[in-house]
Amino acid sequence: MDNQAFELHTGDESDGFPPPPEPSTLPAAPSVTSPVVAVSPTQCPGCRIGRLQKEYTKAGIVLAIVCFPCGIACCLSLRKRRCSGCKALF
């Protein structure tokens, strides 16, 4: 067999093939770090000053009274958490 059939074309322009592209390196992306702020479960995520207090909604209290004892589960699931500092509901 002829060894020329298995030769690798290097991309000479005389062969009709374009030359291979030059390898390029991309600059590394700058790493952005943000400070990690730990918020306790009772601390307000909005203002980070006040504490979250649990409140029962009016609908939850009515359901607890009218549909006793199953209404107690509804009352517990309908409670909200309010910040003592900014008064926001969560």
Side-chain angles (χ1 to χ4, degrees), residues 2-43:
D2 191 10
N3 287 340
Q4 290 180 346
F6 295 108
E7 287 183 12
L8 180 64
H9 289 286
T10 58
D12 294 337
E13 291 182 13
S14 62
D15 293 343
F17 295 106
E22 293 293 323
S24 63
T25 58
L26 297 174
S31 63
V32 178
T33 58
S34 60
V36 176
V37 178
V39 178
S40 71
T42 59
Q43 187 179 11

Side-chain angles (χ1 to χ4, degrees), residues 3 18 20 26 28 31 42 46 50 56-59 63 75 90:
N3 287 340
L26 297 174
S31 63
T42 59
Y56 297 103
T57 61
K58 293 175 186 171
L63 281 172
C75 182
F90 295 100

Side-chain angles (χ1 to χ4, degrees), residues 24-82:
S24 63
T25 58
L26 297 174
S31 63
V32 178
T33 58
S34 60
V36 176
V37 178
V39 178
S40 71
T42 59
Q43 187 179 11
C44 176
C47 67
R48 294 191 177 107
I49 296 173
R51 300 190 64 93
L52 294 178
Q53 299 172 344
K54 295 177 184 170
E55 291 183 352
Y56 297 103
T57 61
K58 293 175 186 171
I61 294 172
V62 169
L63 281 172
I65 294 170
V66 173
C67 300
F68 185 80
C70 298
I72 293 176
C74 296
C75 182
L76 292 175
S77 67
L78 291 176
R79 65 184 167 187
K80 302 284 184 179
R81 295 174 17 181
R82 183 181 297 271

